[in-house]
Amino acid sequence: MCGIVGYIGNQEACPILLAGLTALEYRGYDSAGIALANGKMVQIIKDKGNVAHLKEILKKSPPMGTTGIAHTRWATHGEPSQVNAHPHTDFGNRVAVAHNGIIENYSVLKEMMKSEGVRFRSETDSEVLSQLIGRYYTDGDLAAAVRRALLDVEGTLGIAVIAFDNPDILIGARKGSPLVAGIGTDELFLASDASAVVSHTKNVIYLKDGNLIEMRKGGVFHTMTFDNRAVNPEIQHIEWNADALAKGGFNHFMLKEIFEQPETIRNAMRGRLLAEEGTSRLDGLNLVLPELRSIQRIILIGCGTSWHAALIGEYMIEEVAGLPVEVEYASEFRYRNPIIDPHTVVFVLSQSGETADTLAALREAANRGATVLGICNAVGSSIARETHGGVYLHAGPEIGVASTKAFTSQVTVLALLTLLLGRMRRISHADGMKIAKALAEIPKQAAKILKKNEEIIEIARTYYKHNNFLYLGRSYNFPVALEGALKLKEISYVHAEGYPAAEMKHGPIALIDKNMPTVVIALQDSVYEKVLSNIQEIKARGGSIIAVATEGDKQIAKHAQHVIYIPETVDMLSPLLAVIPLQLLAYHIAALRGCAIDQPRNLAKSVTVE
Ligand code: G6P
């Protein structure tokens, strides 16, 4: 996720672009940059850091011109740095491109152009686009050059493009990543979402996938497909304000992020899942085959939600790959005397990549000679920099303090890792394919669960005044019970305990009465019958049950007051689906209690202290 803005009109573009970037900063803040075309010179200013930092730089000598583009970056390929900041130019410094998305075939294209003598400046996938557009910009037709370049690239993109020699044109195009055109009087705007244009105009065109918009001075524009067939633009009038737009119309970032999960899970496996081969490729691990084969033990380390994802990883890797796995709280690991041998690989899991305890645990493991790998969301973060390799989540910035989409992305990456290790040691092609195909289905199944939002609001209405909840699950869904309880605690300040369902009878069962509802993950998996017995034990003590169950389960409704049905998948992937209703339940209970959902009291998104 990155934010892009474009402007073409009669006003100075710089202040308009900077204001647009500020509205889009929730999409990323690793670096920011601006490029203006005035027909005379190349003007491109960019740096590592946020938009406020860019504004400071520009204060001294603001670039002049009435056509320009700007970008605020959420790093995916290449660490946050000045050279990796957008906009990117081509070898001849003739065009500038701001890009949001991932170019999947960038390395092939980069090698091809390098062999022709093109010199690349950055490590980004995006520079491939600017170089390609520059390569095809031969006869002064920028739209044709962009269209031609887009035929070569695979992946996702929302782009804004200018040519330094021609301030009369601005091009926008999208495939997979959002792009909105703002239609003013004699002026036109381009942005990743309408929050960046709404203060200038309420008339917008939400560009369709595979479409390109050519914008000219005087408010003239044409929309077309990448293969140059004219498209009739549909102008819409927006009613929302900028804040609501940044949240995509949701009341809170947390809810928006919950709803992003079909897309973020897909992004985590993009280019990595090899469904037909029943395995995955994780090039970022920087481990060659013999190194992967020689792993004899894995330690997974994290805090909070990341620790819960790690627990699921333990179940997956042990079952499918047959490797012993230990899961450690980072804060404990760092002060223990952990045993690390040359065949132990340590994975640290962290959304932010900055959690102090996780960073310290990483250093401790590295000092003891372990290979330390990261599973992180924030590219270029301290943890990402200090690990020997790793896998990025590509989930985009997570703004809500309570982690949601990062959790499902972490579990997705752990599933990919499991497939990779499992296929090397234990499972057949057919078994690998079964898991891989089920993983490919998860985004669609997650979207189906999100349609149950209204149903879950009703359940939240019934229970939001209760002050104690119990969450139970077994096997793969025991960590989901922990995560469901944590979500409720974090944002609604309601006491909630997550427990392995059978362990309940060794303590928490004493708490059960009509005032303590129990949320049970009761899927038709290998432990279904056992969980049903646990439900009976609760019922017998007057407790009420909210069950998350498998679609088509006819029995469960007889035992539970409320049932939220989720689609069937293989056992190891079921946490990816089962957690979604629990995230929604926690969200709606907190909303009904009037809590500050995105900034819960006493918590921080990134805990950089011990
Ligand atoms: C904080 C956040 C949690 C998060 C934990 C670990 O406590 O509030 O949501 O799970 O830190 O963060 P990390 O960035 O390392 O995943």
Side-chain angles (χ1 to χ4, degrees), residues 130-161:
S130 57
Q131 297 284 12
L132 270 179
I133 295 170
R135 173 192 169 105
Y136 293 123
Y137 186 51
T138 49
D139 56 2
D141 186 345
L142 186 62
V146 173
R147 283 197 308 267
R148 179 64 195 80
L150 293 183
L151 296 181
D152 291 347
V153 297
E154 287 161 22
T156 55
L157 56 95
I159 52 170
V161 189

Short mmCIF file of all heavy atoms in Angstrom, two decimals, residues 130-161:
data_model
loop_
_atom_site.label_atom_id
_atom_site.label_comp_id
_atom_site.label_asym_id
_atom_site.label_seq_id
_atom_site.Cartn_x
_atom_site.Cartn_y
_atom_site.Cartn_z
N SER A 130 9.03 2.89 -14.57
CA SER A 130 9.48 4.18 -15.12
C SER A 130 10.49 3.95 -16.24
O SER A 130 10.45 4.63 -17.27
CB SER A 130 10.07 5.07 -14.01
OG SER A 130 11.12 4.42 -13.37
N GLN A 131 11.35 2.95 -16.08
CA GLN A 131 12.33 2.66 -17.14
C GLN A 131 11.63 2.18 -18.41
O GLN A 131 12.00 2.58 -19.52
CB GLN A 131 13.33 1.61 -16.67
CG GLN A 131 14.19 2.03 -15.49
CD GLN A 131 15.30 3.00 -15.86
OE1 GLN A 131 15.34 3.56 -16.96
NE2 GLN A 131 16.20 3.24 -14.91
N LEU A 132 10.60 1.34 -18.21
CA LEU A 132 9.88 0.84 -19.39
C LEU A 132 9.15 1.96 -20.11
O LEU A 132 9.19 2.06 -21.34
CB LEU A 132 8.83 -0.19 -18.95
CG LEU A 132 9.22 -1.66 -18.87
CD1 LEU A 132 8.03 -2.47 -18.39
CD2 LEU A 132 9.71 -2.18 -20.22
N ILE A 133 8.49 2.82 -19.33
CA ILE A 133 7.73 3.92 -19.95
C ILE A 133 8.70 4.83 -20.70
O ILE A 133 8.44 5.25 -21.83
CB ILE A 133 6.88 4.68 -18.90
CG1 ILE A 133 5.81 3.74 -18.34
CG2 ILE A 133 6.24 5.92 -19.51
CD1 ILE A 133 5.05 4.26 -17.13
N GLY A 134 9.86 5.12 -20.07
CA GLY A 134 10.87 5.95 -20.74
C GLY A 134 11.33 5.32 -22.04
O GLY A 134 11.50 5.97 -23.06
N ARG A 135 11.47 4.01 -21.99
CA ARG A 135 11.94 3.27 -23.17
C ARG A 135 10.96 3.41 -24.35
O ARG A 135 11.36 3.51 -25.50
CB ARG A 135 12.07 1.81 -22.74
CG ARG A 135 12.37 0.78 -23.76
CD ARG A 135 12.11 -0.56 -23.06
NE ARG A 135 12.12 -1.66 -23.99
CZ ARG A 135 13.11 -2.51 -24.09
NH1 ARG A 135 14.15 -2.38 -23.33
NH2 ARG A 135 13.05 -3.51 -24.94
N TYR A 136 9.64 3.42 -24.00
CA TYR A 136 8.64 3.49 -25.08
C TYR A 136 8.22 4.94 -25.40
O TYR A 136 7.41 5.17 -26.29
CB TYR A 136 7.40 2.68 -24.70
CG TYR A 136 7.65 1.19 -24.62
CD1 TYR A 136 7.40 0.47 -23.45
CD2 TYR A 136 8.18 0.50 -25.72
CE1 TYR A 136 7.64 -0.89 -23.39
CE2 TYR A 136 8.43 -0.86 -25.66
CZ TYR A 136 8.16 -1.55 -24.49
OH TYR A 136 8.41 -2.90 -24.42
N TYR A 137 8.72 5.90 -24.64
CA TYR A 137 8.33 7.32 -24.88
C TYR A 137 9.25 7.89 -25.96
O TYR A 137 10.19 8.61 -25.70
CB TYR A 137 8.47 8.10 -23.56
CG TYR A 137 7.97 9.53 -23.63
CD1 TYR A 137 6.71 9.84 -24.12
CD2 TYR A 137 8.77 10.58 -23.16
CE1 TYR A 137 6.26 11.15 -24.16
CE2 TYR A 137 8.33 11.90 -23.19
CZ TYR A 137 7.08 12.16 -23.69
OH TYR A 137 6.63 13.47 -23.73
N THR A 138 8.94 7.54 -27.19
CA THR A 138 9.85 7.91 -28.27
C THR A 138 9.28 9.00 -29.17
O THR A 138 10.02 9.80 -29.73
CB THR A 138 10.15 6.68 -29.16
OG1 THR A 138 8.90 6.06 -29.48
CG2 THR A 138 11.05 5.70 -28.43
N ASP A 139 7.95 9.08 -29.28
CA ASP A 139 7.40 10.05 -30.23
C ASP A 139 6.51 11.09 -29.56
O ASP A 139 5.59 11.63 -30.16
CB ASP A 139 6.62 9.31 -31.32
CG ASP A 139 5.53 8.43 -30.71
OD1 ASP A 139 5.40 8.46 -29.46
OD2 ASP A 139 4.82 7.74 -31.45
N GLY A 140 6.76 11.34 -28.29
CA GLY A 140 6.02 12.40 -27.60
C GLY A 140 4.61 12.00 -27.18
O GLY A 140 3.86 12.82 -26.67
N ASP A 141 4.22 10.73 -27.37
CA ASP A 141 2.88 10.29 -26.98
C ASP A 141 2.99 9.51 -25.66
O ASP A 141 3.26 8.30 -25.65
CB ASP A 141 2.29 9.42 -28.10
CG ASP A 141 0.84 9.05 -27.82
OD1 ASP A 141 0.39 9.23 -26.65
OD2 ASP A 141 0.15 8.60 -28.75
N LEU A 142 2.78 10.23 -24.54
CA LEU A 142 2.98 9.61 -23.22
C LEU A 142 1.96 8.49 -22.96
O LEU A 142 2.30 7.43 -22.43
CB LEU A 142 2.90 10.68 -22.12
CG LEU A 142 3.22 10.19 -20.71
CD1 LEU A 142 4.65 9.67 -20.59
CD2 LEU A 142 3.00 11.31 -19.68
N ALA A 143 0.69 8.74 -23.38
CA ALA A 143 -0.35 7.73 -23.14
C ALA A 143 0.01 6.43 -23.85
O ALA A 143 -0.13 5.33 -23.29
CB ALA A 143 -1.70 8.23 -23.60
N ALA A 144 0.50 6.54 -25.08
CA ALA A 144 0.87 5.34 -25.85
C ALA A 144 2.03 4.62 -25.17
O ALA A 144 2.05 3.39 -25.09
CB ALA A 144 1.25 5.73 -27.28
N ALA A 145 3.00 5.40 -24.66
CA ALA A 145 4.16 4.79 -23.99
C ALA A 145 3.71 4.03 -22.73
O ALA A 145 4.18 2.92 -22.47
CB ALA A 145 5.18 5.86 -23.63
N VAL A 146 2.79 4.62 -21.97
CA VAL A 146 2.32 3.95 -20.74
C VAL A 146 1.57 2.68 -21.11
O VAL A 146 1.81 1.61 -20.54
CB VAL A 146 1.42 4.89 -19.91
CG1 VAL A 146 0.80 4.15 -18.73
CG2 VAL A 146 2.19 6.11 -19.43
N ARG A 147 0.69 2.80 -22.10
CA ARG A 147 -0.08 1.61 -22.51
C ARG A 147 0.86 0.48 -22.94
O ARG A 147 0.69 -0.66 -22.56
CB ARG A 147 -1.02 1.96 -23.67
CG ARG A 147 -2.27 2.72 -23.24
CD ARG A 147 -3.33 2.67 -24.32
NE ARG A 147 -2.81 3.09 -25.61
CZ ARG A 147 -2.87 4.34 -26.09
NH1 ARG A 147 -3.46 5.28 -25.38
NH2 ARG A 147 -2.38 4.62 -27.26
N ARG A 148 1.86 0.84 -23.72
CA ARG A 148 2.81 -0.17 -24.21
C ARG A 148 3.55 -0.83 -23.04
O ARG A 148 3.69 -2.05 -22.99
CB ARG A 148 3.80 0.50 -25.19
CG ARG A 148 4.83 -0.43 -25.76
CD ARG A 148 4.19 -1.51 -26.63
NE ARG A 148 5.12 -2.61 -26.90
CZ ARG A 148 5.41 -3.61 -26.06
NH1 ARG A 148 4.82 -3.67 -24.87
NH2 ARG A 148 6.25 -4.55 -26.39
N ALA A 149 3.98 0.00 -22.10
CA ALA A 149 4.73 -0.54 -20.96
C ALA A 149 3.84 -1.48 -20.13
O ALA A 149 4.31 -2.52 -19.65
CB ALA A 149 5.24 0.61 -20.09
N LEU A 150 2.57 -1.12 -19.99
CA LEU A 150 1.69 -1.92 -19.14
C LEU A 150 1.45 -3.32 -19.72
O LEU A 150 1.11 -4.24 -19.00
CB LEU A 150 0.37 -1.19 -18.90
CG LEU A 150 0.51 0.09 -18.05
CD1 LEU A 150 -0.84 0.73 -17.80
CD2 LEU A 150 1.22 -0.20 -16.73
N LEU A 151 1.64 -3.44 -21.02
CA LEU A 151 1.48 -4.77 -21.62
C LEU A 151 2.61 -5.71 -21.18
O LEU A 151 2.45 -6.92 -21.16
CB LEU A 151 1.48 -4.68 -23.16
CG LEU A 151 0.32 -3.90 -23.78
CD1 LEU A 151 0.44 -3.91 -25.30
CD2 LEU A 151 -1.03 -4.51 -23.36
N ASP A 152 3.73 -5.14 -20.77
CA ASP A 152 4.88 -5.96 -20.38
C ASP A 152 4.85 -6.40 -18.92
O ASP A 152 5.56 -7.32 -18.54
CB ASP A 152 6.20 -5.17 -20.57
CG ASP A 152 6.52 -4.94 -22.04
OD1 ASP A 152 5.88 -5.58 -22.89
OD2 ASP A 152 7.41 -4.11 -22.32
N VAL A 153 4.09 -5.69 -18.09
CA VAL A 153 4.21 -5.96 -16.65
C VAL A 153 3.10 -6.87 -16.12
O VAL A 153 1.97 -6.82 -16.59
CB VAL A 153 4.26 -4.66 -15.80
CG1 VAL A 153 5.47 -3.84 -16.13
CG2 VAL A 153 2.99 -3.85 -15.94
N GLU A 154 3.47 -7.67 -15.12
CA GLU A 154 2.49 -8.50 -14.40
C GLU A 154 2.47 -8.02 -12.96
O GLU A 154 3.50 -7.61 -12.44
CB GLU A 154 2.94 -9.96 -14.42
CG GLU A 154 2.77 -10.63 -15.76
CD GLU A 154 3.63 -11.88 -15.87
OE1 GLU A 154 4.01 -12.44 -14.82
OE2 GLU A 154 3.92 -12.26 -17.01
N GLY A 155 1.30 -8.10 -12.33
CA GLY A 155 1.22 -7.70 -10.92
C GLY A 155 0.12 -6.68 -10.73
O GLY A 155 -0.86 -6.65 -11.49
N THR A 156 0.27 -5.88 -9.70
CA THR A 156 -0.78 -4.91 -9.40
C THR A 156 -0.20 -3.50 -9.50
O THR A 156 0.97 -3.27 -9.20
CB THR A 156 -1.32 -5.10 -7.97
OG1 THR A 156 -0.21 -5.04 -7.06
CG2 THR A 156 -2.02 -6.42 -7.81
N LEU A 157 -1.05 -2.58 -9.91
CA LEU A 157 -0.55 -1.21 -10.01
C LEU A 157 -1.68 -0.20 -10.01
O LEU A 157 -2.77 -0.43 -10.50
CB LEU A 157 0.31 -1.03 -11.29
CG LEU A 157 -0.34 -1.38 -12.63
CD1 LEU A 157 -0.94 -0.14 -13.30
CD2 LEU A 157 0.70 -1.98 -13.56
N GLY A 158 -1.35 0.95 -9.39
CA GLY A 158 -2.06 2.19 -9.58
C GLY A 158 -0.92 3.17 -9.84
O GLY A 158 0.04 3.21 -9.07
N ILE A 159 -0.95 3.88 -10.99
CA ILE A 159 0.19 4.75 -11.29
C ILE A 159 -0.25 6.14 -11.70
O ILE A 159 -1.35 6.34 -12.23
CB ILE A 159 1.12 4.17 -12.40
CG1 ILE A 159 0.32 3.79 -13.65
CG2 ILE A 159 1.92 3.00 -11.90
CD1 ILE A 159 1.21 3.45 -14.86
N ALA A 160 0.64 7.10 -11.46
CA ALA A 160 0.50 8.45 -11.98
C ALA A 160 1.80 8.76 -12.71
O ALA A 160 2.88 8.49 -12.17
CB ALA A 160 0.28 9.44 -10.84
N VAL A 161 1.69 9.29 -13.94
CA VAL A 161 2.88 9.46 -14.78
C VAL A 161 2.87 10.86 -15.41
O VAL A 161 1.84 11.33 -15.89
CB VAL A 161 2.88 8.42 -15.93
CG1 VAL A 161 4.22 8.44 -16.68
CG2 VAL A 161 2.58 7.02 -15.42
#
